[in-house]
């Protein structure tokens, strides 16, 4: 699938360049200015923050849905789970957010506000990651000293939020991170956060999950890539780090319930783009499948028809943090749990038309329209991975 301004107009009801959304639909005001004024100063970092912080259930989110044909999670249809395998939301975790996370069989981590809304709707029914989850502040004072001013964790004064759930016989900690590789600063405190939460939960499986940009025309919004291999493509702030072009792999995904997962997508697939030509698929990558990996960039990169960011051939999807998990797992050695990156395509390949800044506007608007709904697909795939655990 190739998305351009006409694609956005057909699927979201407006051309993001000729009729940009009003200012009140934006989280980052510099992005709002750039939408209506070509000469306005805006950076790729601003677009990245717009995606991380956009909240479809906030004032800005409601304004966006009023302006566009986008729908919110109030339209979510309950999933017809197989008998005995429906996620069972746990009671409020014991202790306070200053305490270590509880032990569990599986740790699931997601990143943006809207990813959190969708993941919690699927895995912790009745408890929302932003409004209900327990704020996690264990060792916040020490870790936040490594963070730059203005990053999400510093602004929220926490490392993330969490709740627990049970799938079959597996206890799961669901963690919405407010620490980000792309936001925290040059000291990479996200490494410390990963190491700490894994050590506390002691899981046998760790999943990092959420939205990503599809690389190549073969992907449509809602497709899911399940990968035990991740790679860095650091060409900006971390380009001099020893890991800048490294890759890491874990053990294969257990895929026996993925067919069931794809059937469960149907309940909410009607909220995905009208231009989708088929049902969302699950792509299972092998540990040695480097050219199909999840690609972690240190810049706001996305696939374009002219391959502007040179992502084609590196992997199936690009995002901004998963390879940190691979790096931490390598450092942990034999003590590291098995891990997976489960990423849904929230925006497809972007047509190389107009300016790069306008292409960034197109990509950001597609995320704001469909990020939560495509995340429902990856959340169900997380469920399938957990339910299949021996």
């Amino acid at each position: 699938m190739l998305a351009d301004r006409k694609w956005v107009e057909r699927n979201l009801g407006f051309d993001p360049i000729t009729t940009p959304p009003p200012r009140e639909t934006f989280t980052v005001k510099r992005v709002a200015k750039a939408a209506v004024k070509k000469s306005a100063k805006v950076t790729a970092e601003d677009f990245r923050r717009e995606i991380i912080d956009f909240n479809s259930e906030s004032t800005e989110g409601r304004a966006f849905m009023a302006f566009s044909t986008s729908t919110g999670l109030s339209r979510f249809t309950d999933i017809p789970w197989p008998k005995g395998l429906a996620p069972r939301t746990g009671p409020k975790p014991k202790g306070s957010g200053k305490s270590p996370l509880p032990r569990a069989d599986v740790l699931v981590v997601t990143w943006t506000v809207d990813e959190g809304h969708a993941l919690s709707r699927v895995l912790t029914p009745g408890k929302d990651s932003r409004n209900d989850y327990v704020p996690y502040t264990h060792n916040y004072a020490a870790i936040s000293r490594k963070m730059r001013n203005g990053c999400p964790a510093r602004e929220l004064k926490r490392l993330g939020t969490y709740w627990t759930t049970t799938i079959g016989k597996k206890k799961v900690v669901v963690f919405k991170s407010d620490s980000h590789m792309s936001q925290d600063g040059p000291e990479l405190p996200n490494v410390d956060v990963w190491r700490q939460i894994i050590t506390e939960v002691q899981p046998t499986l760790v999943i990092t999950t959420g939205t990503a940009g599809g690389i190549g025309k073969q992907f449509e919004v809602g497709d899911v890539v399940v990968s035990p291999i991740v790679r860095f493509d650091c060409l900006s702030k971390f380009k001099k780090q020893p890991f800048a072009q490294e890759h890491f792999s874990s053990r294969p995904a257990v895929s026996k319930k993925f067919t069931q997962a794809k059937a469960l997508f149907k309940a909410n697939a009607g909220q995905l783009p009208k231009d989708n030509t088929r049902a969302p698929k699950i792509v299972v990558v092998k540990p040695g499948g480097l050219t199909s990996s999840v690609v972690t960039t240190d810049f706001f990169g996305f696939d374009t028809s002219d391959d502007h960011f040179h992502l084609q051939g590196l992997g199936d999807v690009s995002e901004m943090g998963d390879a940190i998990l691979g790096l931490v797992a390598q450092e942990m050695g034999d003590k590291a749990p098995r891990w997976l990156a489960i990423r849904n395509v929230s925006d497809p390949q972007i047509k190389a038309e107009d300016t790069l800044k306008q292409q960034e506007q197109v990509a950001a608007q597609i995320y704001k329209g469909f990020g939560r709904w495509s995340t429902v697909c990856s959340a169900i795939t997380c469920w399938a991975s957990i339910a299949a655990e021996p």
Side-chain angles (χ1 to χ4, degrees), residues 132-179:
D132 303 311
Y133 279 23
V134 175
Y136 176 69
T137 58
H138 188 219
N139 288 332
Y140 168 79
I143 294 174
S144 65
R145 280 197 289 269
K146 294 184 176 182
M147 295 177 171
R148 67 173 182 85
N149 289 330
C151 70
R154 275 281 190 98
E155 288 186 347
L156 294 166
K157 295 181 172 55
R158 67 192 189 197
L159 301 177
T161 61
Y162 74 98
W163 207 267
T164 65
T165 194
T166 303
I167 297 171
K169 295 181 179 180
K170 300 297 180 183
K171 184 178 178 181
V172 183
V173 169
V174 181
F175 187 86
K176 193 286 176 191
S177 182
D178 293 312
S179 167

Side-chain angles (χ1 to χ4, degrees), residues 40-58:
K41 291 184 178 180
V42 63
T43 67
E45 190 68 33
D46 294 323
F47 285 104
R48 188 180 312 199
R49 191 62 181 265
E50 179 75 16
I51 287 172
I52 289 171
D53 287 352
F54 177 73
N55 179 0
S56 58
E57 298 186 14
S58 69

Side-chain angles (χ1 to χ4, degrees), residues 146-148 151 180-189 238:
K146 294 184 176 182
M147 295 177 171
R148 67 173 182 85
C151 70
H180 302 265
M181 169 186 159
S182 69
Q183 298 294 310
D184 293 347
E187 293 189 61
L188 268 181
F238 298 118

Side-chain angles (χ1 to χ4, degrees), residues 14-251:
F14 65 94
D15 182 320
I17 307 305
T18 60
T19 55
R23 290 176 63 91
E24 59 266 24
T25 68
F26 290 89
T27 302
V28 178
K29 298 311 176 188
R30 283 192 297 271
V31 178
K33 290 180 182 178
V36 297
K37 188 177 181 181
K38 288 184 179 181
S39 61
K41 291 184 178 180
V42 63
T43 67
E45 190 68 33
D46 294 323
F47 285 104
R48 188 180 312 199
R49 191 62 181 265
E50 179 75 16
I51 287 172
I52 289 171
D53 287 352
F54 177 73
N55 179 0
S56 58
E57 298 186 14
S58 69
T59 301
E60 293 87 356
R62 288 191 292 272
F64 181 79
M65 285 182 279
F67 175 78
S68 69
T69 58
S70 177
T71 56
L73 287 170
S74 60
R75 296 288 186 93
F76 181 84
T77 297
D78 288 340
I79 297 165
W81 300 110
K83 186 177 180 180
L85 288 176
R88 289 173 284 139
T89 305
K92 185 176 181 178
K94 295 179 181 178
S96 69
K98 296 179 182 179
S99 307
L101 294 175
R103 296 284 183 91
D105 302 296
V106 182
L107 171 63
V108 179
V109 181
T110 200
W111 305 94
T112 75
V113 173
D114 255 20
E115 290 167 1
H117 284 316
L119 185 71
S120 55
R121 182 65 65 98
V122 174
L123 295 186
T124 57
K127 297 295 180 182
D128 180 76
S129 63
R130 191 165 181 86
N131 303 322
D132 303 311
Y133 279 23
V134 175
Y136 176 69
T137 58
H138 188 219
N139 288 332
Y140 168 79
I143 294 174
S144 65
R145 280 197 289 269
K146 294 184 176 182
M147 295 177 171
R148 67 173 182 85
N149 289 330
C151 70
R154 275 281 190 98
E155 288 186 347
L156 294 166
K157 295 181 172 55
R158 67 192 189 197
L159 301 177
T161 61
Y162 74 98
W163 207 267
T164 65
T165 194
T166 303
I167 297 171
K169 295 181 179 180
K170 300 297 180 183
K171 184 178 178 181
V172 183
V173 169
V174 181
F175 187 86
K176 193 286 176 191
S177 182
D178 293 312
S179 167
H180 302 265
M181 169 186 159
S182 69
Q183 298 294 310
D184 293 347
E187 293 189 61
L188 268 181
N190 189 239
V191 169
D192 301 281
V193 175
W194 264 123
R195 189 183 296 116
Q196 175 170 293
I197 63 178
I198 291 173
T199 300
E200 292 172 358
V201 177
Q202 294 287 298
T204 57
L205 173 65
V206 178
I207 297 172
T208 173
T209 189
T211 53
I215 300 175
K217 291 182 181 179
Q218 70 272 30
F219 290 109
E220 296 193 351
V221 176
D223 287 345
V224 180
V225 174
V226 180
S227 182
I229 182 166
V230 293
R231 75 189 303 167
F232 281 111
D233 183 31
C234 295
L235 305 177
S236 182
K237 63 185 75 172
F238 298 118
K239 65 182 179 181
K240 294 183 179 180
Q241 291 289 340
F243 59 74
Q245 296 297 318
E246 277 197 52
H247 67 271
F248 312 93
S249 61
S250 186
R251 283 164 281 165

